Every structure is written in structure tokens, then in C-alpha cells.
Amino acid sequence: MKSTFRNTALAALLAGASLVMPGPAFAFDLNGAWASDADNCAKVFVRRGAQVAFTDMSDVYGGGFIIEGDQITGKFARCRIKAKKDEGATINLVAACASDIMLQNVQFSLREADANTVIRIFPGMGDMEIKYARCPAP
């Protein structure tokens, strides 16, 4: 009888705990085209076949980047994400980047502002930030 009561109490405790425990945490989805000015998305990105690409004059309108899986594409460089760590609303990335003249590892820190806005932060430079908006598919 005592064992049955203990098992029932334990089951009730676990059921109650599952109601107050938070659900699984889902990582922020970075996939998409991101522009530094949401109003200029159509001037920064264009669709070429099945791919999103930069317009010829994208850098005139603030530029941006495209993330597809572990690939980050900028106007003048391509990067592969080597490491990613979510720390609350901040996402820290280490990427191997290649341009026409150089190979280098780059660290990026992005802070999620909302589902369609990220802010690139520069560690050690507290007041320097660049805001990017997710663009609708061109």
C-alpha cells in the first residue's frame, strides 16, 4: 500500500513538473537573404533561376548576406560555418571565408531582435552594431 502511494505521488509530481517545464528550445533560423535596409531588399537581391543572388549594384544599397545551411555568401566572399553556438538571443559563429585574394577565419556575433531581424555585434566595440532584416524571396 505504501509503495503504491509512493508511485502515485511520484507520477503526480512528474506530471506536474512537465506542465511547468519549458518546452524544447529551438535555434534561431538564419537561412535566407539579409539586407542592411529592409526597404532595399529588391535592390540588393535578385533571383537567378533557383538561386538568390546579389544585384550588380547591391553594395550601393547597403549590401547584406545570404545564408543557406552552413554557407554564408557576401558580395565579395563565401564562407562556410565551422562552429555555431547559441547563447540566449546571441548566436556566435566561426566561419572559414574565401575571397578572390584571401582565406581567413572570421568570427560573427549576431543578436536576434525578432524573427526577421538580426543585429551584428562586434565584441569589444559596445556601440558598434549593424542591423539586418530578412528579405522576402525575390
Side-chain angles (χ1 to χ4, degrees):
M1 180 80 170
K2 207 178 216 187
S3 177
T4 304
F5 177 74
R6 194 173 359 168
N7 289 341
T8 304
L10 181 59
L13 180 65
L14 290 174
S18 68
L19 294 175
V20 295
M21 298 284 285
F26 296 103
F28 183 70
D29 180 20
L30 290 172
N31 286 303
W34 298 85
S36 59
D37 183 351
D39 294 334
N40 288 330
C41 284
K43 296 174 183 173
V44 175
F45 301 107
V46 65
R47 181 166 295 283
R48 292 195 179 123
Q51 298 292 318
V52 175
F54 291 91
T55 64
D56 292 335
M57 301 294 288
S58 64
D59 48 333
V60 172
Y61 300 102
F65 56 91
I66 302 165
I67 297 182
E68 296 173 306
D70 70 346
Q71 300 293 314
I72 304 173
T73 305
K75 177 78 174 190
F76 302 107
R78 290 189 59 85
C79 305
R80 185 182 58 77
I81 298 171
K82 294 171 46 175
K84 178 179 175 184
K85 183 176 182 185
D86 293 338
E87 294 179 335
T90 301
I91 303 160
N92 295 303
L93 303 168
V94 175
C97 298
S99 67
D100 289 342
I101 59 171
M102 182 182 335
L103 296 172
Q104 65 181 346
N105 284 334
V106 178
Q107 287 188 302
F108 296 92
S109 291
L110 301 171
R111 185 175 66 239
E112 175 187 0
D114 61 45
N116 293 305
T117 308
V118 294
I119 299 167
R120 182 170 181 195
I121 53 178
F122 298 83
M125 303 170 100
D127 57 345
M128 187 169 175
E129 299 180 338
I130 302 173
K131 184 186 259 186
Y132 292 95
R134 188 188 318 259
C135 295

